[in-house]
Amino acid sequence: MDICSIILSAGNGRRMSSDIPKPLHCISGKPMLNWVIDANKAANIKKSIIVLPRDSEAFRDIIGKFDTVTQPKPLGTGDAVKKAVTLLKNFNGVIIVCFADTPFISKKSIKKIISKCKSDTKLVITGFKKTVKNNYGKIIFSSKNEPIEIIEQKNTYNKKIESEFCNSGIMAFHSSAMSYLDKIQKNIISNEYYLTDLVKIMNKDKQKISFVEVQENEVIGVNDQIDLSIAENISQKFLREKAMLNGSKLIAPETVFFNYDTKICRNVTIYPNVVFGKKVVIRPFVQINSFSHLEDCEIKENSIIGPFARIRGNSKIGENSKVGNFVEIKKSNIHDKVKINHLSYIGDTKIGSLTNIGAGTITCNFDGQNKNETKIGKNSFIGSNSTIIAPIKIGDNVTLGAGSVFNKKIPNNTLSIGRAHQINKRKK
């Protein structure tokens, strides 16, 4: 049986108070829409249709590999799904409806929902228990504990709803039930077409409807910046626990922030207030000290980073190296046993093993138009306050005098000094 997902991404998201479309707001560095796409892929769903707003230019980098439809006006979930199924005229199988602003739906739950719908069930709805007052729609069950209706929160005014189950929104239906979408009528309060009306419509027609309970954290909806921060906390808690269960030591876990794709090996120690951006790989026995920011880099075994270090731009730090306080490294390849202990900027640079970079060293990589490369050989010593103007090649076993400016090639086994002569004059 074929399976297709419809991902609803056309909501205007006014409550986000942002110029960024709501589905493209990031959680742990990944857009919410991508969280849902990845969950669908993990559940082995081969075909997806994404419903987009009228202005979908911002989605261009994400949607290239998917079928898409546009919902020109925000007329509700029922209208959005109806537009999507126009691409499924010859489809025979299960259609699962997901929401781009419900990012944490899991592979396990998606498979469970689909499995329920593969039997004689025509419609599967999902929900979670929540007894405190909330703004979610409520699922109404019959005396036989079968779902018979979902009442949206907007329609509960002056009504007492006896249900402890809230609607999560995610549902699945068999392609043979697509015709029921045409029976959804515009809600007189919101002027929208509610997909949830399918439950009442199909129940009246005596179609079998099943219910799958999910955990609230898995189907949390993001409607505003407060919700987004809650979702970020959920994601970070998961990523921190994953790192620690895999053998990393986090001194103050609540102060460490990971990206969704951060890769950390065993026996890594991370001190408080460390932030990981995208594409970071940390090898075993690395120590990352406080207030460091890492992105797009690889740190190899037994190296020490920070405190107050910034590493970025596809950089690599070799084994047993030290990048100390107030050092920034950008797009550089640092080999094994290199020391850059303090107050330096290293950009577009290759440094050989066993080289020591003195405090205050700057590689001047930008000439106003182009970024230029610096090459420093192995077993060299760069004196403090050195200014190295790229492009330049510095050889092996070189010593550079402190407080100098260098802009010419320096051969192996050389002592080079590029400072002005000191002049002392007696005061009158």
Side-chain angles (χ1 to χ4, degrees):
M1 184 179 290
D2 292 332
I3 302 168
C4 176
S5 70
I6 296 173
I7 304 175
L8 305 186
S9 304
N12 52 36
R14 285 195 207 96
R15 284 179 284 175
M16 295 298 292
S17 299
S18 172
D19 294 331
I20 300 170
K22 181 168 69 169
L24 301 184
H25 281 266
C26 290
I27 299 171
S28 298
K30 180 161 67 171
M32 289 193 287
L33 176 56
N34 286 80
W35 281 88
V36 181
I37 289 171
D38 289 348
N40 277 265
K41 287 180 180 178
N44 204 31
I45 297 175
K46 305 296 185 183
K47 181 178 180 62
S48 294
I49 299 170
I50 301 177
V51 183
L52 298 171
R54 179 174 53 192
D55 182 8
S56 59
E57 179 65 22
F59 293 81
R60 183 176 55 186
D61 293 339
I62 295 178
I63 62 177
K65 298 180 181 178
F66 300 95
D67 293 327
T68 62
V69 294
T70 300
Q71 187 183 28
K73 295 181 180 180
L75 293 176
T77 52
D79 176 69
V81 172
K82 189 175 178 179
K83 284 180 167 52
V85 298
T86 59
L87 302 182
L88 297 173
K89 290 180 179 178
N90 298 316
F91 182 80
N92 181 26
V94 175
I95 301 163
I96 182 168
V97 180
C98 299
F99 294 78
D101 59 1
T102 305
F104 296 143
I105 184 66
S106 68
K107 171 183 73 174
K108 182 179 178 181
S109 290
I110 290 174
K111 287 186 171 183
K112 187 175 180 180
I113 295 164
I114 292 170
S115 179
K116 278 264 189 182
C117 207
K118 281 184 176 179
S119 60
D120 59 342
T121 297
K122 293 293 184 179
L123 176 67
V124 178
I125 65 172
T126 60
F128 57 93
K129 283 185 178 180
K130 192 177 182 72
T131 55
V132 299
K133 187 177 180 181
N134 59 78
N135 292 322
Y136 289 96
K138 303 300 183 290
I139 302 172
I140 310 301
F141 294 86
S142 69
S143 57
K144 296 180 180 179
N145 211 30
E146 296 173 340
I148 58 174
E149 186 179 2
I150 296 175
I151 301 179
E152 295 285 355
Q153 178 64 22
K154 293 177 183 178
N155 294 348
T156 61
Y157 183 71
N158 283 338
K159 292 182 181 179
K160 186 177 181 181
I161 307 299
E162 298 290 344
S163 177
E164 63 180 352
F165 278 101
C166 298
N167 172 43
S168 76
I170 297 165
M171 64 170 63
F173 55 90
H174 192 271
S175 55
S176 60
M178 282 195 291
S179 60
Y180 286 101
L181 292 169
D182 294 326
K183 297 183 180 182
I184 299 175
Q185 296 182 356
K186 184 179 286 188
N187 185 275
I188 60 174
I189 297 176
S190 66
N191 288 320
E192 294 181 351
Y193 296 90
Y194 290 159
L195 185 63
T196 50
D197 286 352
L198 277 181
V199 179
K200 187 175 182 179
I201 293 168
M202 294 177 67
N203 178 65
K204 283 185 177 180
D205 209 22
K206 300 189 184 307
Q207 299 294 321
K208 185 174 180 181
I209 303 170
S210 294
F211 171 73
V212 172
E213 183 178 354
V214 291
Q215 297 300 310
E216 182 180 358
N217 277 358
E218 192 176 338
V219 289
I220 180 175
V222 177
N223 294 305
D224 54 33
Q225 297 289 350
I226 295 173
D227 291 341
L228 188 66
S229 70
I230 293 170
E232 182 71 35
N233 285 335
I234 292 171
S235 175
Q236 288 298 329
K237 185 174 184 294
F238 168 78
L239 293 171
R240 293 162 186 156
E241 290 176 354
K242 179 182 176 183
M244 290 185 286
L245 290 171
N246 286 339
S248 292
K249 182 179 182 180
L250 276 59
I251 304 301
E254 69 280 2
T255 69
V256 176
F257 291 86
F258 291 106
N259 204 68
Y260 78 96
D261 63 352
T262 306
K263 296 179 181 178
I264 296 185
C265 296
R266 298 174 65 181
N267 302 306
V268 169
T269 301
I270 303 173
Y271 282 83
N273 299 300
V274 173
V275 177
F276 295 91
K278 63 181 181 179
K279 298 180 182 178
V280 175
V281 179
I282 309 295
R283 300 300 179 189
F285 297 101
V286 166
Q287 176 178 312
I288 303 176
N289 291 318
S290 295
F291 300 102
S292 295
H293 190 290
L294 288 74
E295 61 180 299
D296 197 13
C297 64
E298 179 182 2
I299 313 298
K300 294 189 176 180
E301 288 85 347
N302 293 296
S303 289
I304 299 174
I305 306 298
F308 295 98
R310 185 183 184 199
I311 304 175
R312 60 189 177 95
N314 193 25
S315 292
K316 293 184 179 180
I317 309 299
E319 297 180 14
N320 297 289
S321 290
K322 175 67 165 60
V323 176
N325 46 291
F326 303 105
V327 172
E328 180 178 1
I329 294 179
K330 171 254 176 186
K331 201 176 180 181
S332 295
N333 191 348
I334 312 302
H335 283 231
D336 300 343
K337 299 181 180 179
V338 170
K339 293 180 179 179
I340 313 172
N341 279 323
H342 16 241
L343 300 163
S344 296
Y345 171 71
I346 306 296
D348 297 275
T349 299
K350 295 179 181 178
I351 300 179
S353 58
L354 294 165
T355 287
N356 190 316
I357 307 295
T361 295
I362 302 294
T363 57
C364 304
N365 56 331
F366 187 50
D367 61 11
Q369 291 185 326
N370 301 304
K371 296 291 179 70
N372 300 296
E373 187 178 63
T374 295
K375 295 182 180 179
I376 301 174
K378 62 185 179 181
N379 199 35
S380 291
F381 176 80
I382 311 302
S384 296
N385 256 10
S386 291
T387 301
I388 301 171
I389 301 174
I392 187 171
K393 182 177 181 180
I394 298 169
D396 300 337
N397 301 304
V398 164
T399 298
L400 301 187
S404 297
V405 177
F406 304 96
N407 63 355
K408 296 178 182 178
K409 180 179 178 181
I410 301 171
N412 297 341
N413 304 303
T414 300
L415 166 63
S416 181
I417 301 172
R419 64 173 80 105
H421 293 294
Q422 179 176 322
I423 299 175
N424 297 331
K425 293 186 177 180
R426 186 181 297 275
K427 292 181 180 180
K428 292 182 180 180

